Amino acid sequence: MLKIKGWSLIRFYTILVYIWMFAPIAVVIILSFNPQQFGTFPMEGFSFKWYGDLFHNRTIIMAFKNSMILGSLTAILTTAIGIPAAMAFIRYEFPGKNTLNTLLLAPIMIPEVVLGVSLLLFLRWLQQPKSFLLLLIGHCVLTLPYVLLVVQARLVSIKRSYEEASLTLGAGPFQTFKEVTLPLLTPAIMAGMLFSFSISFDDVTATLFWATAQSQTVPVKIFAMLRNNISPEINALGAVMIVLTISIPLLAGYLARRFSRRLE
Amino acid sequence: MDNAKNNQIVQLRNVVKRFDSVVAVEKMDLDIEEGSLVTLLGPSGCGKTTILRMIAGLEDCTEGDIYIKGKRVNDVPVHKRNLGMIFQDYALFPHKTIYDNVAFGLKYRNVSKAEIRKRVTRALETVRLPGVEHRKPAQLSGGQQQRIALARAIVIEPDVLLMDEPLSALDENLREEMRQEVDNLQSELGITTIFVTHDQREALSMSDTIIVMKDGLKQQEGGPEEVYDAPVNHFVADFLGHCNFYRCRITGREKGLTTVEVEGGQTLYSEHDEGWEVGEELELLVRAQKIVIESRTEEIPGVSLNIFPGKVKSRMYMGGEAWYFVEMEDGTVIHAINISRVAPFHEGDEVTLHIPPRHCRLIPKD
Ligand SMILES: Nc1ncnc2c1ncn2[C@@H]1O[C@H](COP(=O)(O)OP(=O)(O)OP(=O)(O)O)[C@@H](O)[C@H]1O
Ligand SMILES: [Mg+2]
């Protein structure tokens, strides 16, 4: 009896936690369909007004474009850097290997504020203006550790003997990488790109330091909008972001599973 | 190379391999004749895999030279050596079909599409697995994967086939079957094969030459009969099967036989003679299978030497054979293995042991 009571208590508690977590999100989505300027419950009517406004707000569309381009470029660049780096760390021996690996993973530990400021100071020292390139480099620094971790973990689990078999069969090191290692790495590469994209797409703290007026991203834009007035457009934007950040990983997960099933 | 004898396909000269402070292979010399099946036999960690990997080029030698077909290959990278290697875990590419797996090596060898198709089909027939082209390795059983690994290695017509404990992952029955198959295939195709194993039965049954190793050092090299019947030291004798060892001293020669006195004071006759001086201390070894065991009442016909009374101390039934531990009058215990007799002995039975002088080997004291 006591046991059952205990369990129902835990269940009740869990439900509370979930409500606490998801209620704000639900409210944002619901209010985004509210035609009134100041959202109150019960809602009077239902409209796509704020979504329409959103699509006609040039600065938001611009920020959206920035975020997409930045996220995609970050994802591509970090995997392009991350794959060879992971190969070097896992498959080869060289002096200073551990130090370098720790250094590359450090951005996970360093507070983002510190990263944001230090990159800015570095730029000042080089006497360069802020630019989109800075933002891109910054985001690569932020997300590279995650790509490295995911790809390294996968690489460790790919047996050396596959590559060795390929070599003994006459494929050179590069062909072996292309024919054997890379296909087996694909799920990890997809996951890494996804991490990279969503971290870049989400980031506020460091991006606040790096963004220029022209290179604002969506989160930074939302932050700016909140400072002026609370427009229901933000609800609509929030809803779009929620849908995007949930559906992209799901899609990627689905693709990865399809892909790895084909591999087996 | 001047010492390239016409039919030596792989040669190792003074090859040493060190991993930091660990010496994996010590001053190894090896000559492998074209078309033969050579086994590297030894306990775990004796350097077998390391030698194979050095021949394949997957590992550099610390010292010494490796020659393939008379050409020094120390600086030739793996993919240019034209060797077929079979890994313990098969290492079939999991993302490729069986067809693509077997065709893999041919893609890098200027072979036309049509020719590749023909050769893959033929290789699959050779390993008796036609019709699995479109499957993935995970859809095959362990034994089948093993055959595909074999097909993938032989389809490129390698100069040498290197196999690292290829049968150890299979269960007992399948292992026996695959062992015969590898053996047949090897003699059919005439492919020079270097086979690594720590299973003495595997080595004895399929090899032309066995190289017994210990701690990175070659202990003995020879045909299966030679290493089994005439081991050069305690380790080789012990590793190849159940042996009885006794400290002994040469006492003289009689009737063309060497006489020795064993620890307990008894005298044994041995056919083995390498010109030892009287008084020299050696070790006498007798394989457990070579000892004749009879009940005390039976006469062992035509035998007058090396006959000893004893008493069965314990017996182990092993299915095809029975193991007896027989206590002699001086207290020493002799291990005798007997292929199932009609009436087995029991604990406490009085028996007579005959140790044929032919099977008394004398080796250096350990
Ligand atoms: N990459 C390596 N780094 C360090 N030591 C190694 C390495 N590879 C092998 N060794 C050492 O070299 C020795 C020989 O190893 P090897 O793998 O050749 O043995 P083996 O005869 O194949 O044994 P097994 O029957 O267990 O496969 C061992 O002591 C092993 O610990
Ligand atoms: Mg080994």
Side-chain angles (χ1 to χ4, degrees):
Chain A
M1 259 333 197
L2 207 74
K3 216 169 152 190
I4 291 172
K5 235 184 217 149
W7 273 115
S8 51
L9 216 68
I10 285 179
R11 194 174 304 150
F12 179 68
Y13 179 73
T14 311
I15 290 170
L16 273 188
V17 170
Y18 272 105
I19 290 177
W20 171 255
M21 274 167 48
F22 288 111
I25 295 174
V27 169
V28 165
I29 293 177
I30 293 166
L31 283 184
S32 71
F33 296 109
N34 186 350
Q36 259 67 44
Q37 172 79 23
F38 299 103
T40 47
F41 282 105
M43 264 167 38
E44 296 154 23
F46 178 91
S47 92
F48 285 103
K49 174 168 182 287
W50 304 115
Y51 287 91
D53 284 4
L54 204 61
F55 283 110
H56 292 110
N57 186 333
R58 292 239 335 273
T59 60
I60 286 180
I61 296 297
M62 173 93 152
F64 209 83
K65 234 167 71 187
N66 278 341
S67 273
M68 291 303 266
I69 293 173
L70 183 64
S72 312
L73 282 181
T74 304
I76 292 167
L77 267 178
T78 43
T79 37
I81 300 167
I83 297 169
M87 281 295 285
F89 286 132
I90 303 296
R91 291 290 193 249
Y92 298 94
E93 288 299 327
F94 54 89
K97 175 168 138 168
N98 287 336
T99 320
L100 192 60
N101 200 6
T102 316
L103 227 56
L104 280 180
L105 296 180
I108 294 187
M109 258 82 79
I110 297 174
E112 259 186 55
V113 184
V114 176
L115 270 182
V117 172
S118 53
L119 194 56
L120 260 192
L121 289 178
F122 185 62
L123 209 66
R124 176 80 43 84
W125 182 68
L126 290 178
Q127 300 190 321
Q128 296 294 315
K130 287 208 266 184
S131 65
F132 182 77
L133 189 65
L134 169 76
L135 201 52
L136 183 59
I137 293 172
H139 277 208
C140 285
V141 172
L142 278 181
T143 62
L144 184 61
Y146 297 94
V147 175
L148 263 182
L149 283 178
V150 174
V151 176
Q152 283 185 358
R154 172 77 187 164
L155 208 47
V156 167
S157 73
I158 297 177
K159 280 179 294 186
R160 277 294 272 156
S161 58
Y162 293 141
E163 289 156 2
E164 289 176 347
S166 163
L167 289 171
T168 59
L169 287 167
F174 180 72
Q175 288 153 333
T176 295
F177 177 74
K178 188 176 131 255
E179 288 279 332
V180 178
T181 320
L182 199 58
L184 293 174
L185 265 185
T186 308
I189 293 173
M190 305 268 271
M193 285 181 104
L194 186 74
F195 267 127
S196 187
F197 180 88
S198 36
I199 292 169
S200 158
F201 198 79
D202 253 6
D203 186 73
V204 186
T205 320
T207 313
L208 273 177
F209 290 92
W210 299 333
T212 62
Q214 285 75 42
S215 63
Q216 293 215 335
T217 61
V218 178
V220 170
K221 178 74 195 163
I222 294 179
F223 193 70
M225 283 162 75
L226 282 174
R227 265 191 303 196
N228 303 336
N229 62 329
I230 300 184
S231 154
E233 258 178 85
I234 289 176
N235 291 335
L237 189 53
V240 171
M241 292 269 293
I242 290 166
V243 169
L244 269 181
T245 45
I246 290 177
S247 63
I248 290 178
L250 285 183
L251 184 72
Y254 170 74
L255 285 179
R257 247 175 294 124
R258 286 268 324 246
F259 209 79
S260 66
R261 200 168 315 136
R262 262 210 296 135
L263 289 185
E264 271 150 23
Chain B
M1 189 180 99
D2 39 61
N3 53 341
K5 289 181 218 97
N6 36 15
N7 54 356
Q8 303 295 322
I9 195 152
V10 177
Q11 293 172 299
L12 271 65
R13 289 287 169 264
N14 267 322
V15 170
V16 175
K17 177 70 186 180
R18 276 188 293 270
F19 294 103
D20 298 322
S21 60
V22 182
V23 181
V25 176
E26 185 92 82
K27 292 262 178 246
M28 182 62 69
D29 281 311
L30 217 63
D31 289 279
I32 289 170
E33 213 171 289
E34 179 147 24
S36 64
L37 195 157
V38 176
T39 308
L40 298 176
L41 175 69
S44 186
C46 72
K48 310 177 296 280
T49 300
T50 307
I51 291 182
L52 214 60
R53 290 173 60 83
M54 284 193 290
I55 296 172
L58 294 167
E59 213 84 69
D60 295 326
C61 341
T62 315
E63 282 169 31
D65 302 302
I66 296 179
Y67 300 87
I68 294 174
K69 287 182 160 175
K71 184 172 155 272
R72 187 173 176 276
V73 294
N74 288 44
D75 306 314
V76 178
V78 191
H79 62 284
K80 302 226 171 93
R81 290 199 187 183
N82 196 38
L83 303 173
M85 178 127 181
I86 294 186
F87 294 81
Q88 191 167 353
D89 57 7
Y90 320 138
L92 296 178
F93 307 127
H95 58 296
K96 290 181 183 292
T97 60
I98 299 304
Y99 181 88
D100 288 336
N101 262 283
V102 179
F104 191 85
L106 294 173
K107 283 198 301 186
Y108 304 102
R109 284 184 164 71
N110 282 330
V111 184
S112 73
K113 274 251 162 64
E115 177 69 13
I116 289 182
R117 184 155 289 280
K118 223 170 75 194
R119 281 166 71 170
V120 170
T121 311
R122 187 158 16 105
L124 288 175
E125 274 163 11
T126 310
V127 298
R128 302 197 294 121
L129 259 184
V132 295
E133 283 90 339
H134 301 296
R135 291 204 219 160
K136 289 282 173 67
Q139 293 167 311
L140 298 180
S141 72
Q144 289 172 324
Q145 290 184 35
Q146 177 67 75
R147 286 164 208 249
I148 299 303
L150 205 53
R152 184 176 70 175
I154 59 176
V155 80
I156 60 171
E157 294 172 0
D159 294 332
V160 184
L161 194 58
L162 306 169
M163 305 175 113
D164 192 358
E165 310 211 18
L167 309 179
S168 62
L170 304 174
D171 64 50
E172 189 84 28
N173 290 334
L174 195 55
R175 192 157 156 179
E176 188 63 23
E177 193 186 318
M178 280 306 293
R179 189 191 60 63
Q180 282 174 19
E181 210 150 307
V182 169
D183 202 10
N184 291 343
L185 203 66
Q186 194 272 336
S187 36
E188 242 170 66
L189 302 176
I191 268 186
T192 314
T193 303
I194 307 178
F195 190 97
V196 162
T197 181
H198 60 249
D199 180 333
Q200 40 105 357
R201 282 188 21 208
E202 225 166 78
L204 288 170
S205 61
M206 58 199 300
S207 316
D208 296 314
T209 304
I210 297 178
I211 292 154
V212 186
M213 292 180 57
K214 179 196 176 194
D215 298 338
L217 271 169
K218 180 159 76 176
Q219 304 289 311
Q220 188 171 4
E221 176 174 353
E225 286 87 357
E226 189 183 340
V227 291
Y228 187 80
D229 290 331
V232 294
N233 61 27
H234 186 102
F235 173 81
V236 174
D238 203 24
F239 197 76
L240 277 135
H242 305 280
C243 274
N244 294 285
F245 295 99
Y246 303 98
R247 289 283 173 109
C248 68
R249 198 166 49 81
I250 305 276
T251 50
R253 294 188 170 74
E254 233 177 81
K255 306 174 200 158
L257 300 173
T258 314
T259 55
V260 297
E261 186 188 300
V262 294
E263 270 170 320
Q266 300 198 340
T267 293
L268 274 101
Y269 294 80
S270 164
E271 277 187 17
H272 194 188
D273 194 343
E274 286 179 27
W276 292 290
E277 309 263 322
V278 171
E280 210 164 325
E281 307 257 336
L282 296 168
E283 199 168 26
L284 171 75
L285 82 86
V286 187
R287 291 232 174 262
Q289 287 91 341
K290 307 290 189 191
I291 296 174
V292 181
I293 177 167
E294 267 304 342
S295 70
R296 191 65 65 79
T297 52
E298 302 279 322
E299 281 281 313
I300 305 173
V303 165
S304 55
L305 297 171
N306 290 359
I307 294 173
F308 305 97
K311 194 168 148 192
V312 176
K313 208 170 158 235
S314 65
R315 176 179 78 111
M316 269 193 261
Y317 176 67
M318 310 291 278
E321 59 195 32
W323 290 15
Y324 296 103
F325 295 90
V326 180
E327 189 166 7
M328 313 299 286
E329 281 175 339
D330 62 2
T332 53
V333 173
I334 288 187
H335 179 196
I337 295 179
N338 211 290
I339 308 299
S340 40
R341 297 167 45 95
V342 184
F345 300 109
H346 298 282
E347 258 169 64
D349 283 1
E350 302 278 337
V351 293
T352 306
L353 293 183
H354 169 53
I355 306 174
R358 204 155 56 83
H359 296 303
C360 292
R361 294 292 302 184
L362 295 163
I363 53 174
K365 208 166 56 169
D366 209 21

